[in-house]
Amino acid sequence: MVQLLYIVSSLHVLLCPFTKVEESFNIQSFHDILYHRFNLSEYDHNEFPGVVPRTFIGSLVISALSSPVVAVLHLCVRLTLALTVIASWSRLRNTLQKVYGGTFAWWFTIITVSQYHFMFYMSRPLPNIMALPLVLLAFNGWLAGKQKEFIISAGAAIVIFRSELALLFGLLLIIDLYFKKFEFIALIKVLIPAGICLVLLTVLIDSMFWGRLIWPEAEVFWFNTVLNKSSEWGTSPFLWYFYSALPRGLGPSILLIPVGVYMDKRVVPIVAVSLVYILLFSFLPHKELRFIIYVFPLLNVSSAITCSYVYIRRSKAPAFEIMFWVLVVIIVCNLVFTTTLVLVAMTNYPGGVAMTRFHKLLKNEPYVHVHISNLAAQTGVTRFTQIHDHWHYSKNESLDTNQLQAYTHLLVEAKSKYSPSVKAFAQTHTVLDSVESFSHITMNYRLLPPVKIKTKQSIFILERKNFREVPYSYVGVSESSSQEILNEVESEEVQINVVTYDNNIDKSEEDLSLKDNILETTNDNPTENVSQESSVTYVDDEETEAFRREIEESISQIEPEKDIVAPKVLNRTERKRKAIEKIKSETRKEVVASAKEKLKEIMRRHKHVAKELSENDVTIKEIEVDSRGDIPETVEPNILKEPDSMPAPIIPVIMDDISEVTADENINKIDENQTGDIQKENDIKSRTDENIDSIVEEVIARLIDRKIYDDKTKPEDIKMEDRKVIQKIVEEILSERVNYKSDNNTR
């Protein structure tokens, strides 16, 4: 049965191979010990020491155990850590089996494997998990009456890894002293020498790595407990461990704990010590589930007793048979709950996924200088993921936008490609890829488990546009010189962009100016001019191409007196331009109407959206449009302000309806003579209009980007499915700018 734990823990490692910021110190120290060895100057903690120092002893042990195979698979350090936890857990299980029987041991294993958090965390290089093997050995010594094993294991866990464990083991020690399992003098004879040796061990080893005299866990205790600085990382209510952490950590099998206490009084001290420890630890404002994970095996003892008691008697009475099937349902629910949380965890490490994709996209590049954003560094990027020695990786958090331009690639945190953090690099970088992370859970009873994991964009991979053409290295270059090079690159890019934009603005207008130039130089050498200009290749629609051929034919037959052709061409060009502008205008009205129709519906159904649109400025001042279409720039600016001109079947009087919505929440009835209130109402109305117009402009920009809408789109081209896309984009923008969740997500 123990092999089942190896299998399940390995699956957790393979499905979630990356680590988070809480695990950063130990995972980086694994890497440094295995690869840098005695070159302490290259260790990660020199550059990123963390808030408080941590001990290297656990990393040394795990690295030594995993060193034979780490060159083949770097995940083996986590697997090795899981093996140490499982080995200690197995010893505890064998001791419990001697007390409660073989059936108990079987159910104890099943319950442990079916729970999520203990199995998931046992491979995580957290300080709590580094201490967990020692904690389990201390439990084993306490239950088996092995006093020295209990004191030494508990002392090592407290002195080296987690000082708060003194509360837990202190309670166990008090019970032993009360029942005279320990004599005080004998305790002192073991406790004092063991404590001195353990303190000397951690001080000697960690002082060598940190380069100063240090007892890491003493500093952690002072920081977290005495100074209570841990609360700066968030606080939770006093009973949070009882109503949130324990139900999630133990799953549905938590319901079996009180039954086991009732059935077997021998388990009362075990459960009581666990609950008292959690109660005492609740006085610290900063709470995390991993802080109480040590007591999960103790609480599972009571659950396993319940299962064993019912299982043995299942054939003796119908009541026990019914209870047995209830137990089966509880275990199945445990598995469903675990599966759901695993699916969530798989989407919760966007930094590691982004780094993996980044290396695949640029696997053949000889030189890359990448900057890693804070979110990426916190959600999976470690030195193990930095696989190319000839690349340069940077996690400097103090750089501004101008300084980041010096990198060939960026891993940028953003909710969408329209976010300011991505748009700041729109002129100099292109988006190679994006990575999504966990957003929320929705229920879908057609699935098994009946949940659907929703994700959102979180990290974008950016590449400097011309980094292959300018293969210079920024390493070793001063900030001033690198900035000069960057300015030159940017100026070149701006010129290129301007030329490209001008060549695509209006082909017919360019043809006209071309013809005028040729007419002016015809008397000198018309043949040469025509041949030179005809070598230019244009890409446009068939109508424009035919029109261009007609112009060229007329130019080739030009005589000195035929300069009257120019007004004729000008008239045709103007007619074509006006026709195109009319199509653009009518098409834009259709798009605007559909977007505002959805806005009106949302504002009616969600009053807080109307309130926020009327009270706050939710606009994004710069909305960039892809070069595929320039519709937003060529339409008259009063289109958004004239809702009456919109097609009646789509949206009758949009602005009047919106005014009614905002008035319900934000505007009281006023008297005409109260000019101050009238001005306030006008300001709210104006702000609402600006926000709505900004959202509509963003919708148009995203439609162009998705190739749904461009210069060639006609009103009749906008089908029902396109209107649904428009309305979906409206919901996306509202979810980004205001506190709004669509009805589909809340069901």
Side-chain angles (χ1 to χ4, degrees), residues 4 18 22 40 55 122 163 201 208 213 315 323 344 471 475-476 507-508 542 565-566 658 661 665 700 714:
L4 193 57
F18 305 111
E22 297 90 348
L40 301 183
T55 180
M122 69 166 54
S163 57
L201 176 67
M208 178 183 65
L213 188 64
S315 60
M323 292 177 66
V344 171
V475 178
K507 294 294 187 294
S508 60
E542 295 180 358
V565 174
I658 292 175
V661 174
E665 284 293 320
I700 292 174
K714 299 178 182 179

PDB file of all heavy atoms in Angstrom, residues 4 18 22 40 55 122 163 201 208 213 315 323 344 471 475-476 507-508 542 565-566 658 661 665 700 714:
ATOM      1  N   LEU A   4       1.497   2.999  -3.241  1.00  0.00           N
ATOM      2  CA  LEU A   4       0.469   3.890  -3.776  1.00  0.00           C
ATOM      3  C   LEU A   4       0.821   5.353  -3.527  1.00  0.00           C
ATOM      4  O   LEU A   4       0.560   6.220  -4.362  1.00  0.00           O
ATOM      5  CB  LEU A   4      -0.881   3.540  -3.134  1.00  0.00           C
ATOM      6  CG  LEU A   4      -2.134   4.150  -3.772  1.00  0.00           C
ATOM      7  CD1 LEU A   4      -2.249   3.773  -5.234  1.00  0.00           C
ATOM      8  CD2 LEU A   4      -3.378   3.700  -3.006  1.00  0.00           C
ATOM      9  N   PHE A  18       6.319  22.807 -11.679  1.00  0.00           N
ATOM     10  CA  PHE A  18       6.920  24.088 -11.324  1.00  0.00           C
ATOM     11  C   PHE A  18       6.641  24.443  -9.863  1.00  0.00           C
ATOM     12  O   PHE A  18       5.811  23.817  -9.198  1.00  0.00           O
ATOM     13  CB  PHE A  18       6.393  25.186 -12.249  1.00  0.00           C
ATOM     14  CG  PHE A  18       6.597  24.875 -13.705  1.00  0.00           C
ATOM     15  CD1 PHE A  18       5.518  24.586 -14.529  1.00  0.00           C
ATOM     16  CD2 PHE A  18       7.869  24.848 -14.247  1.00  0.00           C
ATOM     17  CE1 PHE A  18       5.705  24.291 -15.865  1.00  0.00           C
ATOM     18  CE2 PHE A  18       8.073  24.549 -15.585  1.00  0.00           C
ATOM     19  CZ  PHE A  18       6.985  24.266 -16.399  1.00  0.00           C
ATOM     20  N   GLU A  22       7.089  30.862  -2.602  1.00  0.00           N
ATOM     21  CA  GLU A  22       7.335  30.361  -1.250  1.00  0.00           C
ATOM     22  C   GLU A  22       8.384  29.252  -1.231  1.00  0.00           C
ATOM     23  O   GLU A  22       9.028  29.005  -0.215  1.00  0.00           O
ATOM     24  CB  GLU A  22       6.029  29.842  -0.632  1.00  0.00           C
ATOM     25  CG  GLU A  22       4.943  30.889  -0.439  1.00  0.00           C
ATOM     26  CD  GLU A  22       4.050  30.984  -1.661  1.00  0.00           C
ATOM     27  OE1 GLU A  22       4.422  30.408  -2.717  1.00  0.00           O
ATOM     28  OE2 GLU A  22       2.991  31.634  -1.576  1.00  0.00           O
ATOM     29  N   LEU A  40      30.395  29.440  -3.911  1.00  0.00           N
ATOM     30  CA  LEU A  40      29.291  30.076  -3.186  1.00  0.00           C
ATOM     31  C   LEU A  40      28.943  31.446  -3.746  1.00  0.00           C
ATOM     32  O   LEU A  40      27.819  31.933  -3.543  1.00  0.00           O
ATOM     33  CB  LEU A  40      29.654  30.209  -1.699  1.00  0.00           C
ATOM     34  CG  LEU A  40      29.966  28.900  -0.959  1.00  0.00           C
ATOM     35  CD1 LEU A  40      30.232  29.182   0.513  1.00  0.00           C
ATOM     36  CD2 LEU A  40      28.835  27.897  -1.117  1.00  0.00           C
ATOM     37  N   THR A  55      17.664  28.021   6.328  1.00  0.00           N
ATOM     38  CA  THR A  55      18.765  27.081   6.510  1.00  0.00           C
ATOM     39  C   THR A  55      19.052  26.308   5.229  1.00  0.00           C
ATOM     40  O   THR A  55      18.142  26.029   4.430  1.00  0.00           O
ATOM     41  CB  THR A  55      18.457  26.097   7.641  1.00  0.00           C
ATOM     42  OG1 THR A  55      19.549  25.199   7.787  1.00  0.00           O
ATOM     43  CG2 THR A  55      17.193  25.309   7.349  1.00  0.00           C
ATOM     44  N   MET A 122       3.842  17.249  -0.245  1.00  0.00           N
ATOM     45  CA  MET A 122       4.988  16.467   0.215  1.00  0.00           C
ATOM     46  C   MET A 122       6.187  16.546  -0.727  1.00  0.00           C
ATOM     47  O   MET A 122       7.297  16.187  -0.346  1.00  0.00           O
ATOM     48  CB  MET A 122       4.582  15.011   0.443  1.00  0.00           C
ATOM     49  CG  MET A 122       4.266  14.239  -0.811  1.00  0.00           C
ATOM     50  SD  MET A 122       4.199  12.440  -0.505  1.00  0.00           S
ATOM     51  CE  MET A 122       3.036  12.310   0.813  1.00  0.00           C
ATOM     52  N   SER A 163      10.370  26.961  13.976  1.00  0.00           N
ATOM     53  CA  SER A 163      10.342  27.182  15.419  1.00  0.00           C
ATOM     54  C   SER A 163       8.939  27.051  16.006  1.00  0.00           C
ATOM     55  O   SER A 163       8.783  26.718  17.182  1.00  0.00           O
ATOM     56  CB  SER A 163      10.900  28.571  15.737  1.00  0.00           C
ATOM     57  OG  SER A 163      10.181  29.579  15.045  1.00  0.00           O
ATOM     58  N   LEU A 201      25.167  22.912  14.823  1.00  0.00           N
ATOM     59  CA  LEU A 201      25.124  22.390  13.455  1.00  0.00           C
ATOM     60  C   LEU A 201      24.583  23.428  12.480  1.00  0.00           C
ATOM     61  O   LEU A 201      25.197  23.706  11.435  1.00  0.00           O
ATOM     62  CB  LEU A 201      24.261  21.124  13.421  1.00  0.00           C
ATOM     63  CG  LEU A 201      24.047  20.505  12.032  1.00  0.00           C
ATOM     64  CD1 LEU A 201      25.355  19.964  11.476  1.00  0.00           C
ATOM     65  CD2 LEU A 201      22.991  19.397  12.108  1.00  0.00           C
ATOM     66  N   MET A 208      28.459  29.550   6.996  1.00  0.00           N
ATOM     67  CA  MET A 208      29.348  29.385   5.854  1.00  0.00           C
ATOM     68  C   MET A 208      28.656  29.812   4.555  1.00  0.00           C
ATOM     69  O   MET A 208      29.239  30.524   3.724  1.00  0.00           O
ATOM     70  CB  MET A 208      29.797  27.926   5.760  1.00  0.00           C
ATOM     71  CG  MET A 208      30.702  27.644   4.571  1.00  0.00           C
ATOM     72  SD  MET A 208      31.132  25.891   4.438  1.00  0.00           S
ATOM     73  CE  MET A 208      29.516  25.163   4.095  1.00  0.00           C
ATOM     74  N   LEU A 213      27.825  35.251  10.734  1.00  0.00           N
ATOM     75  CA  LEU A 213      27.364  34.420  11.842  1.00  0.00           C
ATOM     76  C   LEU A 213      25.842  34.479  11.912  1.00  0.00           C
ATOM     77  O   LEU A 213      25.267  35.561  12.067  1.00  0.00           O
ATOM     78  CB  LEU A 213      27.972  34.911  13.160  1.00  0.00           C
ATOM     79  CG  LEU A 213      27.728  34.019  14.391  1.00  0.00           C
ATOM     80  CD1 LEU A 213      28.400  32.656  14.194  1.00  0.00           C
ATOM     81  CD2 LEU A 213      28.258  34.703  15.650  1.00  0.00           C
ATOM     82  N   SER A 315     -20.953  -6.634   7.542  1.00  0.00           N
ATOM     83  CA  SER A 315     -21.839  -7.767   7.243  1.00  0.00           C
ATOM     84  C   SER A 315     -22.642  -8.226   8.452  1.00  0.00           C
ATOM     85  O   SER A 315     -23.425  -9.176   8.355  1.00  0.00           O
ATOM     86  CB  SER A 315     -21.014  -8.944   6.701  1.00  0.00           C
ATOM     87  OG  SER A 315     -20.047  -9.351   7.662  1.00  0.00           O
ATOM     88  N   MET A 323     -23.625   2.285   6.431  1.00  0.00           N
ATOM     89  CA  MET A 323     -22.520   3.168   6.811  1.00  0.00           C
ATOM     90  C   MET A 323     -21.283   2.901   5.959  1.00  0.00           C
ATOM     91  O   MET A 323     -20.533   3.825   5.612  1.00  0.00           O
ATOM     92  CB  MET A 323     -22.194   2.977   8.296  1.00  0.00           C
ATOM     93  CG  MET A 323     -23.278   3.478   9.248  1.00  0.00           C
ATOM     94  SD  MET A 323     -22.890   3.142  10.980  1.00  0.00           S
ATOM     95  CE  MET A 323     -21.443   4.177  11.213  1.00  0.00           C
ATOM     96  N   VAL A 344      -6.932  22.717 -11.113  1.00  0.00           N
ATOM     97  CA  VAL A 344      -6.675  24.131 -10.812  1.00  0.00           C
ATOM     98  C   VAL A 344      -5.175  24.381 -10.700  1.00  0.00           C
ATOM     99  O   VAL A 344      -4.641  25.357 -11.257  1.00  0.00           O
ATOM    100  CB  VAL A 344      -7.394  24.538  -9.509  1.00  0.00           C
ATOM    101  CG1 VAL A 344      -6.954  25.937  -9.074  1.00  0.00           C
ATOM    102  CG2 VAL A 344      -8.903  24.503  -9.699  1.00  0.00           C
ATOM    103  N   PRO A 471      22.675  42.138 -33.731  1.00  0.00           N
ATOM    104  CA  PRO A 471      23.101  41.087 -32.789  1.00  0.00           C
ATOM    105  C   PRO A 471      24.156  41.554 -31.805  1.00  0.00           C
ATOM    106  O   PRO A 471      25.203  40.933 -31.657  1.00  0.00           O
ATOM    107  CB  PRO A 471      23.663  40.031 -33.735  1.00  0.00           C
ATOM    108  CG  PRO A 471      24.228  40.828 -34.861  1.00  0.00           C
ATOM    109  CD  PRO A 471      23.318  42.016 -35.036  1.00  0.00           C
ATOM    110  N   VAL A 475      25.238  42.797 -22.358  1.00  0.00           N
ATOM    111  CA  VAL A 475      25.996  42.424 -21.174  1.00  0.00           C
ATOM    112  C   VAL A 475      27.337  43.136 -21.202  1.00  0.00           C
ATOM    113  O   VAL A 475      28.067  43.095 -22.181  1.00  0.00           O
ATOM    114  CB  VAL A 475      26.201  40.905 -21.120  1.00  0.00           C
ATOM    115  CG1 VAL A 475      27.034  40.526 -19.916  1.00  0.00           C
ATOM    116  CG2 VAL A 475      24.855  40.207 -21.096  1.00  0.00           C
ATOM    117  N   GLY A 476      27.667  43.815 -20.128  1.00  0.00           N
ATOM    118  CA  GLY A 476      28.916  44.535 -20.052  1.00  0.00           C
ATOM    119  C   GLY A 476      28.867  45.910 -20.664  1.00  0.00           C
ATOM    120  O   GLY A 476      29.856  46.638 -20.649  1.00  0.00           O
ATOM    121  N   LYS A 507      -4.164  54.218 -51.606  1.00  0.00           N
ATOM    122  CA  LYS A 507      -3.461  53.925 -52.833  1.00  0.00           C
ATOM    123  C   LYS A 507      -3.920  54.828 -53.976  1.00  0.00           C
ATOM    124  O   LYS A 507      -3.130  55.241 -54.813  1.00  0.00           O
ATOM    125  CB  LYS A 507      -3.686  52.459 -53.195  1.00  0.00           C
ATOM    126  CG  LYS A 507      -3.064  51.482 -52.214  1.00  0.00           C
ATOM    127  CD  LYS A 507      -1.576  51.583 -52.243  1.00  0.00           C
ATOM    128  CE  LYS A 507      -0.937  50.496 -51.408  1.00  0.00           C
ATOM    129  NZ  LYS A 507      -1.193  50.597 -50.006  1.00  0.00           N
ATOM    130  N   SER A 508      -5.206  55.134 -54.010  1.00  0.00           N
ATOM    131  CA  SER A 508      -5.701  55.971 -55.100  1.00  0.00           C
ATOM    132  C   SER A 508      -5.118  57.365 -55.043  1.00  0.00           C
ATOM    133  O   SER A 508      -4.799  57.975 -56.055  1.00  0.00           O
ATOM    134  CB  SER A 508      -7.228  56.026 -55.049  1.00  0.00           C
ATOM    135  OG  SER A 508      -7.640  56.571 -53.821  1.00  0.00           O
ATOM    136  N   GLU A 542      -9.227  44.128 -56.315  1.00  0.00           N
ATOM    137  CA  GLU A 542      -9.299  44.062 -57.774  1.00  0.00           C
ATOM    138  C   GLU A 542      -9.787  45.363 -58.381  1.00  0.00           C
ATOM    139  O   GLU A 542      -9.302  45.803 -59.423  1.00  0.00           O
ATOM    140  CB  GLU A 542     -10.217  42.908 -58.172  1.00  0.00           C
ATOM    141  CG  GLU A 542      -9.679  41.532 -57.763  1.00  0.00           C
ATOM    142  CD  GLU A 542     -10.615  40.433 -58.169  1.00  0.00           C
ATOM    143  OE1 GLU A 542     -11.690  40.763 -58.731  1.00  0.00           O
ATOM    144  OE2 GLU A 542     -10.283  39.253 -57.933  1.00  0.00           O
ATOM    145  N   VAL A 565      -6.713  65.533 -68.404  1.00  0.00           N
ATOM    146  CA  VAL A 565      -7.071  64.220 -67.847  1.00  0.00           C
ATOM    147  C   VAL A 565      -7.056  64.265 -66.328  1.00  0.00           C
ATOM    148  O   VAL A 565      -7.818  63.582 -65.665  1.00  0.00           O
ATOM    149  CB  VAL A 565      -6.095  63.145 -68.358  1.00  0.00           C
ATOM    150  CG1 VAL A 565      -6.363  61.808 -67.679  1.00  0.00           C
ATOM    151  CG2 VAL A 565      -6.214  63.003 -69.867  1.00  0.00           C
ATOM    152  N   ALA A 566      -6.195  65.065 -65.742  1.00  0.00           N
ATOM    153  CA  ALA A 566      -6.058  65.100 -64.289  1.00  0.00           C
ATOM    154  C   ALA A 566      -7.355  65.406 -63.574  1.00  0.00           C
ATOM    155  O   ALA A 566      -7.727  64.696 -62.641  1.00  0.00           O
ATOM    156  CB  ALA A 566      -4.973  66.098 -63.892  1.00  0.00           C
ATOM    157  N   ILE A 658     -29.336  54.610 -21.436  1.00  0.00           N
ATOM    158  CA  ILE A 658     -28.185  54.590 -20.532  1.00  0.00           C
ATOM    159  C   ILE A 658     -28.327  55.664 -19.473  1.00  0.00           C
ATOM    160  O   ILE A 658     -27.987  55.475 -18.317  1.00  0.00           O
ATOM    161  CB  ILE A 658     -26.887  54.761 -21.346  1.00  0.00           C
ATOM    162  CG1 ILE A 658     -26.663  53.524 -22.197  1.00  0.00           C
ATOM    163  CG2 ILE A 658     -25.693  55.001 -20.439  1.00  0.00           C
ATOM    164  CD1 ILE A 658     -25.487  53.628 -23.129  1.00  0.00           C
ATOM    165  N   VAL A 661     -30.484  54.324 -16.828  1.00  0.00           N
ATOM    166  CA  VAL A 661     -29.816  53.353 -15.973  1.00  0.00           C
ATOM    167  C   VAL A 661     -28.956  54.041 -14.948  1.00  0.00           C
ATOM    168  O   VAL A 661     -28.982  53.732 -13.765  1.00  0.00           O
ATOM    169  CB  VAL A 661     -28.962  52.398 -16.843  1.00  0.00           C
ATOM    170  CG1 VAL A 661     -28.149  51.487 -15.946  1.00  0.00           C
ATOM    171  CG2 VAL A 661     -29.850  51.577 -17.757  1.00  0.00           C
ATOM    172  N   GLU A 665     -29.208  54.811 -10.148  1.00  0.00           N
ATOM    173  CA  GLU A 665     -28.274  54.590  -9.055  1.00  0.00           C
ATOM    174  C   GLU A 665     -27.607  55.856  -8.552  1.00  0.00           C
ATOM    175  O   GLU A 665     -27.197  55.932  -7.415  1.00  0.00           O
ATOM    176  CB  GLU A 665     -27.167  53.613  -9.536  1.00  0.00           C
ATOM    177  CG  GLU A 665     -27.586  52.175  -9.607  1.00  0.00           C
ATOM    178  CD  GLU A 665     -27.854  51.616  -8.238  1.00  0.00           C
ATOM    179  OE1 GLU A 665     -27.096  51.944  -7.304  1.00  0.00           O
ATOM    180  OE2 GLU A 665     -28.832  50.900  -8.096  1.00  0.00           O
ATOM    181  N   ILE A 700     -13.926  48.151 -31.196  1.00  0.00           N
ATOM    182  CA  ILE A 700     -13.558  48.258 -32.607  1.00  0.00           C
ATOM    183  C   ILE A 700     -12.107  47.848 -32.813  1.00  0.00           C
ATOM    184  O   ILE A 700     -11.767  47.131 -33.758  1.00  0.00           O
ATOM    185  CB  ILE A 700     -13.811  49.697 -33.102  1.00  0.00           C
ATOM    186  CG1 ILE A 700     -15.323  49.979 -33.118  1.00  0.00           C
ATOM    187  CG2 ILE A 700     -13.223  49.916 -34.485  1.00  0.00           C
ATOM    188  CD1 ILE A 700     -15.693  51.401 -33.444  1.00  0.00           C
ATOM    189  N   LYS A 714     -18.555  45.474 -45.081  1.00  0.00           N
ATOM    190  CA  LYS A 714     -19.784  46.187 -45.401  1.00  0.00           C
ATOM    191  C   LYS A 714     -20.834  45.901 -44.336  1.00  0.00           C
ATOM    192  O   LYS A 714     -20.741  44.905 -43.621  1.00  0.00           O
ATOM    193  CB  LYS A 714     -20.291  45.754 -46.779  1.00  0.00           C
ATOM    194  CG  LYS A 714     -19.311  46.059 -47.899  1.00  0.00           C
ATOM    195  CD  LYS A 714     -19.837  45.573 -49.241  1.00  0.00           C
ATOM    196  CE  LYS A 714     -18.830  45.849 -50.343  1.00  0.00           C
ATOM    197  NZ  LYS A 714     -19.313  45.361 -51.666  1.00  0.00           N
TER     198      LYS A 714
END
